[in-house]
Amino acid sequence: MKHIITEQILDEYKKYLIKEEKSNATISKYIRDIKKLMDYAAGKEITKELMAMYKKDLYINKKYELSSINSFITAANGLFVYLEWYGLRIKTYHIQKEVFLPENRDLSKKEYKKLVNSALHNGKKRLAMIIKTLCATGIRVSELSYITMENIKKGMIDIYCKGKQRKALIPGKLKKLLLRYASENGIEKGVLFCTSSGKAVDRSNVWKEMKKLSEKSGVIKKKIFPHNLRHLFAKTFYEINKDIVMLAGLLGHSSVETTRIYTMTSYGEYMKQLNQMELV
C-alpha cells in the first residue's frame, strides 16, 4: 500500500482529533501543518527519505525557525501514528532551552497600558476591555467565552480547556469595570465579549484588532499579540511572590516546566545582572 496523504484522509483525521477533544486551535494548526507536507509531497508517496528531505528543506530553503519545524514534524508524526504508518516518523530537532527571552519580544506594563489607552482613544472600548481582561486574569484568548455575566458576578471564572478544569479569579477592580461595561451595553446574561453576529470573539478577531493598535500606540507590532498579555500576567505575578507552583495552577499548566517559559527574563535584564556582578 502506498503512503499518500489525501484530502479524505485529512478529513477523517480531523474527525478523529475532534473525538479526542483537541481544541479548535490545536486541530486547525495540525491540519494546517500537515497541508504543508502535502504541498511539498505534491501527490508523491510519503517515504522516510521524503520526510528527511522535507525536514531539510524547511530549514535550508524555507528558513523556518527550528521550533516551527518541530511543530510541523510533530503534526506529521501524529498523523502517521493515527494511520499506523509508524516507519515514517522522524525525529524533531533538539533545541537547548534558552534562559532568557529574545530582546524586543517581551511586552512591558507601560506598553500594555499604551495599548489599552490607544484602544480607548480610537473608540474601541470592547477591545480595551478584552486586553484588560486577558492581562488581569492570565486566561488564554481562546477562553474569553468563559467571561460570562454569571462568572463576572461570582468574581471567578470556571474554565474547561484541554480536558482540564480550573478556576481563574477576577480582580475586584476588573469586576467593577466589566459590570459597568455590561450595563453600558445592555448585557444582562451570557458571554460578555461577542461579535456583531452574537458569537463569542475568537483569537482571530482579537489578534487583528490588536495589530491595528501598533502605529497609534507606539508599541512595535511583533510585541502585540494576545498571548503576550498572558506572559505579562505570569511575569508580574511571579515577580511578587516567586511561587512557580501556584502560578502553574493559575495558568492551567500540568507541568512547571511549561510555566518556566512564562517567567523568563529578557536578554537586557540578564545582561544588566551580569554587569552588576563586576567579575571582569
Side-chain angles (χ1 to χ4, degrees), residues 46-215:
I46 307 294
T47 63
K48 193 71 174 274
E49 291 74 22
L50 183 139
M51 287 302 299
M53 289 169 60
Y54 173 60
K55 179 179 176 180
K56 189 175 180 180
D57 180 69
L58 289 170
Y59 181 65
I60 295 175
N61 299 322
K62 301 295 190 304
K63 308 294 183 185
Y64 280 108
E65 295 287 336
L66 292 185
S67 56
S68 297
I69 296 172
N70 282 349
S71 73
F72 302 152
I73 293 171
T74 299
N77 285 344
L79 175 66
F80 298 156
V81 170
Y82 165 73
L83 295 171
E84 298 183 358
W85 296 353
Y86 301 112
L88 299 183
R89 291 176 296 174
I90 60 172
K91 294 180 180 179
T92 56
Y93 285 104
H94 175 72
I95 304 173
Q96 184 175 339
K97 291 178 181 177
E98 293 189 26
V99 295
F100 49 76
L101 285 172
E103 197 70 4
N104 296 325
R105 182 69 170 174
D106 212 8
L107 187 71
S108 69
K109 197 179 289 187
K110 185 177 179 181
E111 289 168 328
Y112 152 66
K113 289 179 179 179
K114 280 185 178 181
L115 291 177
V116 172
N117 290 333
S118 180
L120 290 172
H121 290 157
N122 286 280
K124 301 287 185 179
K125 182 71 177 287
R126 184 187 71 179
L127 179 59
M129 294 306 302
I130 287 173
I131 292 173
K132 283 188 176 185
T133 300
L134 291 174
C135 201
T137 62
I139 65 172
R140 301 176 179 90
V141 66
S142 60
E143 296 168 343
L144 277 173
S145 59
Y146 294 99
I147 302 294
T148 63
M149 291 305 298
E150 294 75 19
N151 282 336
I152 294 168
K153 288 171 184 175
K154 284 193 303 183
M156 186 179 291
I157 317 163
D158 293 306
I159 299 172
Y160 183 79
C161 183
K162 298 185 177 182
K164 295 175 290 185
Q165 188 171 10
R166 79 179 196 281
K167 295 183 184 293
L169 298 175
I170 300 176
K173 271 189 178 180
L174 178 63
K175 179 179 177 180
K176 288 180 182 178
L177 288 173
L178 293 177
L179 289 174
R180 188 190 306 161
Y181 173 80
S183 177
E184 291 170 353
N185 290 275
I187 303 169
E188 297 179 355
K189 61 180 181 179
V191 179
L192 181 63
F193 301 120
C194 295
T195 62
S196 55
S197 62
K199 293 182 179 179
V201 294
D202 59 21
R203 179 187 175 280
S204 178
N205 301 137
V206 180
W207 187 87
K208 287 176 183 176
E209 283 195 73
M210 282 183 68
K211 285 293 181 185
K212 291 177 183 177
L213 297 177
S214 176
E215 190 175 330

Side-chain angles (χ1 to χ4, degrees), residues 203-232:
R203 179 187 175 280
S204 178
N205 301 137
V206 180
W207 187 87
K208 287 176 183 176
E209 283 195 73
M210 282 183 68
K211 285 293 181 185
K212 291 177 183 177
L213 297 177
S214 176
E215 190 175 330
K216 293 176 181 178
S217 67
V219 180
I220 58 176
K221 220 168 197 177
K222 64 181 178 181
K223 285 190 177 187
I224 306 175
F225 53 96
H227 206 69
N228 228 4
L229 298 169
R230 183 166 156 89
H231 272 270
L232 180 55

